[in-house]
Amino acid sequence: MVILSDWLAAQLDKASAEPVYRQLLQLMQQAILTGQLAPGTKLPSSRLLAGDLGIARNTVLHVYDQLSAEGYVLSSTGSGTYVADTRPDSAAVGARPDATTRAVPEPNPRGDMSMRGQRLIDEAGVSARQWGAFMPGVPDVAEFPSRTWSRLQSRLWKSVNPELLTYAPGGGYRPLRRALSDYLRVARSVRCSPDQIIITTGIHQSIDLAVRLLADIGDRAWVEEPCYWGARSVLQASGIKLAPIPVDNEGLNPRESDLRHPPRIALVTPSHQYPLGMVMSLARRRTLLEYARQHKVWIIEDDYDSEFRYGSRPLASLQGLDDSDRVIYVGSLGKLLFPGLRMGYMVVPERLVDVFRTGVSELYREGQLIQQAVLAEFIMDGYLTSHVRRMRTLYGERRQLLIDAVTQRFGDALPVMGDEAGLHFVLGLPDHCDDRVVTAASYEAGVIVRPLASYYLGKQQRKGLLTGYACVAQENIAPAFATLARVIEEHAFGPKSKPRTRERAA
Ligand SMILES: Cc1ncc(COP(=O)(O)O)c(C=O)c1O
């Protein structure tokens, strides 16, 4: 007993910000787990221990109660408190190696991971920074009408209906599904009723759900080459084998050999190919739909940012042309409003509505009904359309500023590709240039871009940088581009070469 209280007295730090109760509890738990206090040992009475440690008896009583509630000790009225026997059952778990023979944990966690986990982490595309010039795919969240949102939100919270605080079975908040179906019919020519809409946390989750419900491990999916690394990762992590299909100016362009092996799933971005930016032609759309009908292929249409089209009106969706119910349409509020909202939607064929409603509940326990209710009001009151309209003008101006800066500095030595829509364009680099190296050097210099290389599954066909303009305030475009241009010049044209103007390049 004396030894225990001496040891505890030496460890307790009464001047620490950590309460004495918590310190004492942790010390006693540690003493029991390490065997310093053997099973069956009788603990000193609370009065004695409190006196030895110079602390309140109530503190010790609370600690003993907690130890008893967690199974570390057994107390019986009258006879005292004893350390419980909590040693693992050696018949069940085998002998534990002693401290001297225990393997030193490997610093590299690969051995802990599954094969698909290793692949996911090895090929991860996610960036540690998500904001700043020229982060692609990010809207200007500083322009989001947060006051309006907060007003709608506080009105809802003031008289909150308990139904809004539960899980959200049934595919999500009905008024939101109605508002979205109206919006999608008008803005994207999607053919749908509110029932066909399933609210998710975004396109990642929509793809994950579709793949789990419609494909089996080992099934094949066509993906565009190049394609969005995030969608690729979601498919691969579900055990789907990827078949990269080339794209040209008209979008997905399968070869004879591809057509001979129909996949289970085809994941496409027809309105704005990601990342190169072309539009799938009507002929290719019809061919893909017919092929899907004949071979029972599920088409996942990722329509992630096509509201932002600059020269012309937004283009109609592929889903709107589908007469055979082979298209699962997925969209996101991340680019329209702000990515951290984590809200998206999918439109599924009528006969699959119940399947997807049950699937989303079963796998993810959906919720956020209150956020969904705010969003429903935001859309119904017209704020979504006016925000999108305002952002389209703003992003259009920023895009033009950046294109002008590129042209002024490099003439047509560096092509700008896929700039008709979206939040980024691809700045082409000469073939001898390693876009990953340029990306790393520009990151060092304080400017974020993404290398085209990381979007190819097979051999890289073109060199380039995904350059986002939407989230960069006008006044920051020129200075940030000057930094990027210096890095590009050094790597693309040699450290000593001078800026190439249109005249020099011509
Ligand atoms: C083509 C494409 N699809 C989907 C997403 C992500 O969508 P969400 O944030 O809704 O999961 C992105 C994000 O950059 C994207 O570029």
Side-chain angles (χ1 to χ4, degrees):
M1 308 299 166
V2 177
I3 296 171
L4 174 67
S5 50
D6 282 353
W7 179 74
L8 289 171
Q11 306 291 320
L12 276 180
D13 176 3
K14 291 184 189 158
S16 153
E18 183 83 355
V20 168
Y21 161 78
R22 205 187 304 275
Q23 291 187 47
L24 185 59
L25 179 64
Q26 280 171 358
L27 287 167
M28 296 204 67
Q29 287 171 334
Q30 182 192 332
I32 293 169
L33 290 176
T34 55
Q36 197 178 334
L37 278 175
T41 307
K42 185 174 184 192
L43 296 186
S45 73
S46 54
R47 189 187 307 277
L48 194 64
L49 187 59
D52 284 348
L53 299 178
I55 60 176
R57 186 178 166 212
N58 254 350
T59 306
V60 179
L61 279 173
H62 283 320
V63 168
Y64 280 14
D65 278 353
Q66 191 62 27
L67 289 172
S68 165
E70 292 182 17
Y72 286 86
V73 299
L74 302 167
S75 327
S76 62
T77 339
S79 77
T81 304
Y82 294 85
V83 174
D85 188 355
T86 58
R87 285 169 299 184
D89 179 353
S90 56
V93 297
R96 191 181 163 89
D98 69 27
T100 50
T101 59
R102 213 172 290 160
V104 180
E106 274 189 50
N108 179 351
R110 293 187 75 77
D112 296 329
M113 293 162 65
S114 61
M115 297 294 281
R116 59 180 164 173
Q118 283 182 26
R119 183 163 193 181
L120 180 78
I121 302 307
D122 286 350
E123 295 175 11
V126 70
S127 158
R129 279 178 64 191
Q130 292 291 332
W131 180 246
F134 292 108
M135 181 75 202
V138 179
D140 191 344
V141 292
E143 292 288 335
F144 179 69
S146 48
R147 277 223 180 107
T148 305
W149 188 269
S150 132
R151 183 169 47 75
L152 297 173
Q153 181 156 290
S154 59
R155 200 170 70 203
L156 275 160
W157 271 109
K158 263 187 204 135
S159 53
V160 70
N161 175 348
E163 296 259 313
L164 290 182
L165 303 182
T166 66
Y167 291 119
Y173 187 59
R174 170 105 191 150
L176 175 61
R177 289 187 282 117
R178 203 172 40 233
L180 280 172
S181 72
D182 289 346
Y183 171 75
L184 291 173
R185 268 199 309 270
V186 174
R188 310 291 311 113
S189 308
V190 170
R191 290 193 221 166
C192 65
S193 69
D195 281 347
Q196 287 172 264
I197 298 209
I198 308 284
I199 308 293
T200 64
T201 61
I203 290 176
H204 275 232
Q205 192 181 64
S206 300
I207 297 177
D208 191 52
L209 180 63
V211 166
R212 285 171 193 275
L213 291 176
L214 304 177
D216 282 310
I217 293 175
D219 278 349
R220 288 166 65 252
W222 280 3
V223 291
E224 294 164 325
E225 173 78 328
C227 89
Y228 172 49
W229 50 265
R232 206 169 65 198
S233 288
V234 171
L235 291 169
Q236 274 178 341
S238 283
I240 301 296
K241 292 201 185 106
L242 301 188
I245 307 294
V247 293
D248 64 11
N249 287 342
E250 288 188 66
L252 194 78
N253 187 20
R255 296 151 291 206
E256 274 297 314
S257 55
D258 298 318
L259 294 168
R260 277 200 296 275
H261 303 285
R264 180 74 179 157
I265 284 180
L267 175 66
V268 285
T269 48
S271 298
H272 187 220
Q273 201 279 333
Y274 194 85
L276 296 176
M278 61 285 262
V279 172
M280 191 188 285
S281 67
L282 185 57
R284 290 271 174 86
R285 286 173 191 232
R286 297 184 68 187
T287 308
L288 180 62
L289 287 169
E290 180 53 23
Y291 182 78
R293 188 187 67 75
Q294 283 177 18
H295 298 281
K296 298 206 172 337
V297 178
W298 288 110
I299 299 173
I300 301 180
E301 176 178 12
D302 178 355
D303 199 18
Y304 59 103
D305 75 357
S306 27
E307 278 86 354
F308 299 117
R309 176 154 285 279
Y310 304 109
S312 57
R313 286 175 50 75
L315 307 161
S317 66
L318 177 70
Q319 193 267 9
L321 290 174
D322 175 27
D323 289 324
S324 313
D325 282 352
R326 299 308 307 178
V327 177
I328 311 287
Y329 174 91
V330 300
S332 177
L333 272 310
K335 316 266 183 216
L336 295 184
L337 300 179
F338 58 100
L341 179 63
R342 296 313 294 144
M343 212 174 293
Y345 43 83
M346 53 201 311
V347 179
V348 302
E350 258 167 45
R351 67 176 192 287
L352 291 179
V353 165
D354 286 341
V355 168
F356 275 81
R357 283 185 184 175
T358 308
V360 79
S361 283
E362 199 66 20
L363 283 175
Y364 318 113
R365 294 272 53 198
E366 74 299 65
Q368 296 205 338
L369 276 175
I370 188 111
Q371 285 284 85
Q372 295 185 20
V374 179
L375 179 59
E377 303 227 339
F378 190 84
I379 299 176
M380 288 185 297
D381 291 353
Y383 295 115
L384 178 71
T385 22
S386 63
H387 181 61
V388 169
R389 206 177 308 124
R390 196 164 70 82
M391 290 305 101
R392 192 184 293 135
T393 309
L394 186 69
Y395 300 161
E397 286 163 13
R398 293 176 178 181
R399 158 189 166 272
Q400 196 54 54
L401 272 178
L402 188 54
I403 293 178
D404 290 348
V406 172
T407 319
Q408 226 174 33
R409 186 90 176 216
F410 294 105
D412 43 19
L414 299 186
V416 169
M417 300 178 273
D419 61 310
E420 293 84 10
L423 310 175
H424 77 275
F425 56 65
V426 176
L427 183 57
L429 292 178
D431 283 346
H432 66 265
C433 199
D434 185 335
D435 48 20
R436 288 186 196 269
V437 174
V438 179
T439 300
S442 115
Y443 192 86
E444 281 290 298
V447 173
I448 315 168
V449 283
R450 277 181 173 279
L452 206 43
S454 60
Y455 296 82
Y456 283 93
L457 203 61
K459 188 171 173 304
Q460 183 175 5
Q461 304 294 329
R462 306 176 186 200
K463 303 289 174 65
L465 303 173
L466 269 76
T467 314
Y469 43 80
C471 69
V472 194
Q474 271 92 322
E475 62 275 19
N476 295 338
I477 288 184
F481 183 70
T483 307
L484 177 62
R486 266 196 307 277
V487 175
I488 293 177
E489 266 163 10
E490 205 175 297
H491 289 82
F493 307 116
K496 297 256 165 0
S497 63
K498 299 222 167 63
R500 297 177 58 160
T501 61
R502 185 182 287 279
E503 295 71 45
R504 287 169 50 115

